[in-house]
């Protein structure tokens, strides 16, 4: 081998040794670094383990002391761990109770919970889940749940959740919503128009009545959010002074001060009352509320009331009735002008005085004191009293007194309405004197009628006897014509005697024994039908039971006798019929006597009740019978009238007081 090759190999060997030494040096350095890193890593691991232990302890403390209920469950819903708030919320006894949470779910919520579980494990968490549960101690609650899945190396192994009791919160929310709904419904249906605007005049709330007042063709819901300052221009023409309407609104909003009872007159005469209520929060302006009320009727009523008050004040002040008002101590507090004139005292003299002490005459003072005492017990009545006026004249007063109450119903005095009846009283005394004189004259006239009747009947009987003797003494001498004349004289004499008897009877109605007794009219009619001559072709029927009334039996018998006799007398049918009927009214009985006789023409219906007015000039009719009937009916405070058609019959109606 040549020296060159040996040199080359030696140099290569030297370089290899040098490289090996350098590599060993690097390995030694790296080994030192690795050792130092190992020591440092061991130190860090110890510190990390210490820190982990510390953190786990802290987390355990948080778990145990968290305020909300905290629960850990397995994938099947079995409780693995829970804190004390969870025990209290779910109705358990200890934190170690073994239980499946699904057993607490309300039956109606099982389907929702099943879907929520799937969502939880699919998404890894669930928030704001509300659930109805029945706790272990059987309490119904609503809970709020936030839950998440616990993983081990990416595999779900459990779930954890925070549970809050929101039962009361839900109840409060529902109550609040219900109250808001009621308030909203109330506002929408108020009889007043309501408009709520924010600080920028955007509509927050309004109601139907406001839209009606302003004739806005939109619903309250549609108006929300609109700026009212732009809408108002379309409504200003509805008011009597459109420009003033706009200016006033702008002024109120600018001032931002409470204004109540602002009056607006619309073009159609409607009167609105407007309230402006500014709304602030923490002294910051947030908007305003308008309220519009239709007060047209109220204002008109008030105006009418004022007019009526003024009118009646004038009437009371000037009427002829004396009005006086006294307080609870019997002192006069108010009088009108008529009372002043009736007493002769001035208003100044009367006010504050006790009228009962000096107005009635001495003999009538006890009566007034008694009436004043009764008034304080709430009694109202009317009485007469004699009054001594200021100048000493005596007057008669009719006093109507009544208690006076305030708005709370408390007795505060009395009111007296006084009517001066002095002139009426004098007229009444004159009337009594006249009635006494008239009664005396009637008695004298009745006595005179009896005397005249007796004096007239005596010569008639004498003439009748002389004519009879003359006829008997000369019946062989007298011819047929003379006998007819004598018969005519006898008939005339008989008619004159009947006329005198009827006149006496007519004058006696009401002047003889008029004492009233209870009379059974059934008995009266039965007795009459036994004594009256009733032809065989005429039948008399009483259609119903006749009542008992207070009256004069003789006069009532005469009443029915005259009417039945008239019906018999003027019957012209082959079969005559007379019907007696009775109907009960409120204060009277109404009777009727109906026949099917000759009837009476309507023009004579009023005349037949007048004395000496006979339609049929027969020897049996004097024209007084129906006049007597009328007087007897009037004696019993009744009326008489008739309905009739010639040829068909007549019905006499009359009433007698019960």
């Amino acid at each position: 081998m040549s020296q060159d090759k040996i040199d080359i190999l030696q140099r290569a060997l030297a370089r290899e040794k040098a490289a090996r030494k350098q590599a060993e040096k690097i390995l030694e350095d790296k080994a030192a670094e690795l050792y130092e890193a190992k020591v440092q890593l061991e130190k860090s691991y110890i510190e990390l383990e210490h820190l982990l232990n510390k953190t786990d302890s802290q987390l355990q403390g948080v778990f145990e002391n968290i305020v909300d209920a905290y629960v850990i469950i397995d994938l099947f819903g079995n409780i693995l761990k829970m804190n004390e708030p969870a025990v209290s919320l779910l109705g358990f006894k200890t934190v170690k109770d073994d239980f499946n949470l699904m057993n607490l779910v309300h039956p109606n919520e099982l389907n929702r919970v099943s879907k929520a579980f799937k969502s939880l494990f699919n998404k890894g968490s669930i928030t704001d889940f509300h659930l109805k549960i029945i706790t272990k101690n059987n309490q119904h609650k609503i809970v709020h749940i936030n839950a998440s899945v616990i993983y081990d190396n990416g595999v779900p192994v459990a779930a954890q959740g925070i549970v809050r009791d929101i039962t009361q919160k839900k109840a409060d929310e529902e109550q609040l919503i219900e109250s808001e709904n009621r308030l909203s419904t109330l506002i929408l249906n108020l009889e007043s128009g309501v408009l709520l605007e924010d600080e920028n005049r955007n509509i927050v709330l309004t109601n139907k009545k406001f839209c009606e007042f302003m004739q806005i063709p939109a619903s309250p819901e549609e108006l929300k959010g609109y700026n009212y300052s732009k809408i108002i221009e379309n409504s200003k023409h509805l008011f009597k002074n459109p420009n003033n309407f706009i200016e006033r609104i702008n002024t109120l909003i600018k001032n931002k001060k409470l204004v109540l009872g602002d009056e607006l007159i619309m073009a159609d005469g409607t009167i609105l009352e407007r309230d402006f209520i500014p709304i602030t929060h923490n002294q910051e302006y947030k908007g305003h509320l308008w309220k519009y009320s239709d007060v047209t009727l109220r204002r008109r009523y008030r105006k009418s009331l004022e007019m009526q008050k003024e009118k009646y004040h004038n009437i009371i002040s000037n009427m002829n009735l004396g009005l006086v008002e006294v307080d609870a101590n019997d002192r006069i507090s108010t009088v009108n002008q008529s009372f002043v004139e009736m007493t002769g005292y001035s208003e100044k003299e009367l006010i504050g005085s006790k009228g009962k002490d000096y107005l009635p005459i001495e003999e009538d003072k006890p009566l007034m004191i008694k009436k004043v005492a009764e008034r304080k017990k709430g009694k109202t009545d009317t009485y007469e009293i004699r009054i001594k006026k200021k100048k000493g004249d005596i007057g008669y007063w009719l006093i109507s007194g009544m208690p006076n109450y305030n708005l709370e119903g408390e007795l505060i005095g009395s009111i007296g309405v006084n009517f001066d009846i002095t002139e009426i009283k004098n007229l009444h005394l004159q009337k009594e004197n006249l009635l006494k004189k008239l009664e005396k004259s009637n008695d004298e006239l009745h006595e005179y009628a009896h005397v005249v009747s007796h004096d007239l009947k005596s010569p008639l009987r004498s003439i009748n006897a002389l004519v009879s003797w003359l006829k008997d003494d000369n019946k062989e001498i007298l011819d047929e014509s003379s006998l007819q004349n004598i018969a005519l004289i006898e008939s005339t004499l008989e008619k004159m005697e009947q006329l005198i008897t009827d006149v006496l009877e007519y004058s006696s109605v009401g002047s003889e024994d008029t004492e009233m007794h209870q009379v059974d009219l059934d008995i009266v009619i039965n007795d009459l039908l036994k004594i009256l001559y009733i032809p065989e072709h005429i039948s008399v029927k009483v259609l119903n039971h006749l009542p008992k009334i207070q009256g004069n039996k003789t006069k009532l018998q005469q009443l029915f006798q005259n009417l039945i006799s008239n019906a018999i007398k003027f019957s012209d049918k082959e079969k005559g019929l007379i019907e007696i009927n009775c109907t009960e009214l409120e204060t009277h009985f109404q009777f009727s006597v109906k026949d099917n006789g000759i009837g009476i023409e309507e023009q004579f219906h009023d005349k037949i009740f007048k004395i000496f007015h006979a339609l049929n000039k027969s020897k049996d009719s004097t024209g007084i019978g129906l006049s007597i009937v009328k007087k007897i009916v009037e004696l019993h405070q009744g009326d008489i009238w008739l309905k009739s058609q010639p040829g068909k019959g007549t019905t006499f109606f009359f009433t007698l007081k019960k």
Side-chain angles (χ1 to χ4, degrees):
M1 178 180 298
S2 65
Q3 188 62 37
D4 291 334
K5 287 183 179 180
I6 294 172
D7 291 339
I8 293 169
L9 289 171
Q10 287 179 343
R11 287 196 295 273
L13 182 62
R15 285 196 295 271
E16 185 177 343
K17 287 181 179 180
R20 186 182 298 162
K21 287 182 180 180
Q22 188 176 0
E24 289 176 355
K25 173 72 173 166
I26 292 171
L27 285 173
E28 288 176 0
D29 290 341
K30 291 295 182 184
E33 288 178 4
L34 285 173
Y35 177 77
E36 186 177 347
K38 178 184 176 185
V39 172
Q40 188 67 33
L41 186 61
E42 287 177 352
K43 182 180 178 182
S44 296
Y45 178 78
I46 293 169
E47 289 177 353
L48 180 60
E49 188 177 17
H50 177 73
L51 180 62
L52 284 172
N53 290 334
K54 182 179 179 182
T55 302
D56 185 62
S57 176
Q58 288 175 343
L59 287 173
Q60 181 66 23
V62 169
F63 174 78
E64 291 177 353
N65 296 291
I66 192 170
V67 175
D68 294 319
Y70 179 75
V71 181
I72 299 176
I73 60 174
D74 63 17
L75 300 182
F76 303 101
N78 297 308
I79 298 174
L80 300 175
K81 195 172 186 180
M82 59 181 167
N83 62 357
E84 285 297 337
V87 171
S88 176
L89 171 64
L90 301 177
F92 292 106
K93 293 181 179 178
T94 68
V95 295
K96 295 182 179 180
D97 278 9
D98 186 16
F99 198 78
N100 192 296
L101 281 184
M102 293 298 291
N103 294 330
L104 300 181
V105 176
H106 193 283
N108 296 340
E109 300 277 47
L110 288 172
N111 190 39
R112 283 184 63 239
V113 171
S114 176
K115 292 179 181 179
F117 251 93
K118 289 179 181 178
S119 176
L120 171 65
F121 290 113
N122 288 335
K123 296 180 180 180
S125 65
I126 186 172
T127 58
D128 293 329
F129 185 68
H130 292 182
L131 177 66
K132 291 181 182 177
I133 65 170
I134 302 174
T135 64
K136 190 76 181 298
N137 55 1
N138 205 34
Q139 291 184 356
H140 289 251
K141 293 185 178 182
I142 301 174
V143 294
H144 171 277
I145 299 173
N146 286 329
S148 62
V149 177
I150 299 174
Y151 296 95
D152 183 12
N153 294 325
V155 178
V157 294
Q160 61 183 348
I162 293 177
V163 186
R164 293 189 179 94
D165 185 356
I166 59 169
T167 308
Q168 187 59 46
K169 181 183 176 183
K170 272 289 184 182
D172 292 343
E173 285 178 356
E174 289 176 2
Q175 189 174 1
L176 181 60
I177 291 169
E178 186 179 346
S179 299
E180 287 176 350
N181 290 337
R182 282 201 301 266
L183 181 60
S184 178
T185 303
L186 177 64
I187 291 173
L188 285 173
N189 295 283
L190 274 177
E191 284 302 310
S192 297
V194 175
L195 172 67
L196 178 62
E197 297 180 82
D198 64 18
E199 64 273 22
N200 299 315
R201 299 208 60 191
N202 295 321
I203 296 174
V204 177
L205 175 70
T206 186
N207 67 351
K208 297 175 185 176
K209 203 66 182 177
F210 178 80
C211 295
E212 288 177 15
F213 284 152
M214 301 303 166
Q215 295 185 10
I216 299 173
S219 69
E221 286 296 323
E222 292 171 335
L223 290 175
K224 286 183 180 179
Y226 277 87
N227 192 283
Y228 184 58
S229 61
K230 298 175 182 177
I231 301 175
I232 199 170
E233 289 291 330
N234 298 324
S235 302
K236 68 178 184 180
H237 70 280
L238 299 172
F239 295 86
K240 192 173 181 180
N241 192 331
N243 293 329
N244 186 59
F245 172 66
I246 300 291
E247 290 171 6
R248 180 63 175 160
I249 286 177
N250 293 334
T251 301
L252 293 176
I253 293 175
K254 182 179 179 181
N255 293 337
K256 296 181 175 61
K257 292 182 179 178
L258 176 69
V259 175
L260 302 176
D262 211 20
E263 187 176 280
L264 301 170
I265 300 177
M266 303 187 78
D268 62 358
T270 301
I271 303 172
L272 297 181
E273 192 174 78
R274 178 175 60 192
D275 296 340
F276 174 77
I277 306 169
I279 300 170
T280 58
H281 180 67
N282 295 329
Q283 298 183 345
E284 183 181 351
Y285 185 72
K286 291 294 183 180
H288 45 263
L289 176 72
W290 301 98
K291 191 188 86 166
Y292 292 82
S293 302
D294 186 346
V295 295
T296 310
L297 289 177
R298 194 195 313 164
R299 294 295 170 86
R300 287 177 181 170
Y301 175 74
R302 187 171 68 187
K303 188 175 181 181
S304 174
L305 197 63
E306 289 171 356
M307 290 174 63
Q308 292 294 328
K309 184 178 178 182
E310 181 67 22
K311 180 173 76 173
Y312 287 113
H313 175 75
N314 293 334
I315 291 172
I316 290 170
S317 297
N318 297 287
M319 67 182 180
N320 290 326
L321 295 173
L323 186 69
V324 60
E325 185 176 338
V326 300
D327 61 21
N329 297 317
D330 302 328
R331 297 190 179 277
I332 297 174
S333 56
T334 307
V335 294
N336 68 347
Q337 186 58 34
S338 294
F339 189 84
V340 170
E341 293 172 359
M342 286 168 62
T343 60
Y345 292 95
S346 67
E347 184 176 351
K348 188 176 180 180
E349 291 173 312
L350 292 167
I351 299 298
S353 68
K354 293 186 177 182
K356 66 184 180 70
D357 292 341
Y358 62 89
L359 287 176
I361 65 172
E362 202 63 34
E363 293 84 347
D364 288 354
K365 275 186 181 180
L367 174 62
M368 179 167 273
I369 292 171
K370 176 187 174 185
K371 296 297 181 183
V372 168
E374 289 176 350
R375 206 83 63 250
K376 291 180 179 179
K377 295 178 181 178
K379 186 177 179 181
T380 298
D381 65 354
T382 302
Y383 58 96
E384 286 185 21
I385 202 165
R386 289 169 291 178
I387 295 294
K388 185 178 180 181
K389 300 181 182 180
K390 184 177 181 180
K391 293 183 178 180
D393 301 335
I394 303 298
Y396 290 86
W397 284 10
L398 180 65
I399 299 177
S400 179
M402 63 211 76
N404 188 21
Y405 300 93
N406 62 15
L407 293 175
E408 285 73 37
E410 300 168 341
L411 186 68
I412 58 172
S414 62
I415 298 172
V417 179
N418 308 276
F419 181 42
D420 190 341
I421 58 170
T422 306
E423 292 184 8
I424 297 174
K425 198 72 177 176
N426 291 334
L427 288 172
H428 183 66
L429 293 173
Q430 292 177 23
K431 178 185 173 184
E432 287 181 352
N433 292 331
L434 286 172
L435 286 173
K436 288 179 182 177
K437 291 180 181 179
L438 183 61
E439 186 179 351
K440 184 179 179 182
S441 297
N442 282 338
D443 290 341
E444 291 174 353
L445 183 61
H446 181 59
E447 187 178 347
Y448 175 74
H450 275 277
V451 172
V452 169
S453 173
H454 181 269
D455 291 348
L456 286 175
K457 283 185 176 182
S458 292
L460 283 178
R461 292 189 186 115
S462 298
I463 293 171
N464 190 45
L466 290 171
V467 170
S468 178
W469 294 342
L470 182 62
K471 184 174 70 172
D472 290 341
D473 292 343
N474 299 283
K475 62 181 171 182
E476 295 180 357
I477 301 173
L478 296 173
D479 56 12
E480 186 68 28
S481 178
S482 298
L483 289 173
Q484 287 179 357
N485 289 332
I486 290 173
L488 185 59
I489 293 171
E490 288 175 335
S491 175
T492 304
L493 288 171
E494 185 179 337
K495 187 172 182 180
M496 286 184 67
E497 185 174 1
Q498 182 63 45
L499 180 61
I500 292 168
T501 301
D502 287 348
V503 169
L504 179 62
E505 192 174 326
Y506 179 79
S507 66
S508 299
V509 175
S511 59
E512 290 183 347
D513 177 23
T514 55
E515 187 176 350
M516 301 294 186
H517 302 280
Q518 192 175 56
V519 180
D520 189 334
L521 294 180
D522 266 335
I523 296 174
V524 169
I525 296 298
N526 287 333
D527 291 346
L528 265 179
L529 296 180
K530 291 176 183 176
I531 63 174
L532 281 175
Y533 169 69
I534 302 174
E536 293 182 359
H537 72 285
I538 296 176
S539 61
V540 180
K541 294 182 180 179
V542 180
L543 299 182
N544 53 13
H545 174 70
L546 299 182
K548 296 177 182 179
I549 68 167
Q550 201 73 10
N552 184 283
K553 184 176 181 180
T554 304
K555 298 289 190 295
L556 292 171
Q557 184 174 338
Q558 190 176 5
L559 164 63
F560 282 97
Q561 181 177 338
N562 283 3
L563 291 175
I564 295 171
S565 297
N566 266 8
I568 294 171
K569 189 187 302 180
F570 298 111
S571 176
D572 62 344
K573 305 294 188 300
E574 290 183 5
K575 289 186 178 180
L577 177 63
I578 301 171
E579 294 179 338
I580 301 170
N581 198 3
C582 177
T583 304
E584 184 174 1
L585 305 179
E586 187 175 352
T587 58
H588 289 68
F589 288 105
Q590 179 178 301
F591 299 87
S592 65
V593 179
K594 180 181 179 182
D595 65 59
N596 62 346
I598 62 174
I600 303 171
E601 294 182 10
E602 188 174 351
Q603 58 183 324
F604 299 114
H605 285 190
D606 292 330
K607 296 179 181 179
I608 61 173
F609 294 110
K610 295 178 181 178
I611 193 168
F612 301 128
H613 194 99
L615 298 183
N616 191 310
K617 303 296 182 181
S618 68
K619 67 174 185 176
D620 298 325
S621 178
T622 61
I624 298 179
L626 288 177
S627 301
I628 293 173
V629 166
K630 190 172 189 294
K631 285 194 73 173
I632 294 172
V633 169
E634 290 173 349
L635 178 67
H636 290 81
Q637 301 179 47
D639 294 311
I640 185 166
W641 67 98
L642 73 150
K643 290 182 180 178
S644 180
Q645 290 184 7
K648 292 187 177 181
T650 303
T651 303
F652 282 92
F653 296 93
F654 60 94
T655 57
L656 301 176
K657 191 170 184 180
K658 291 182 180 178

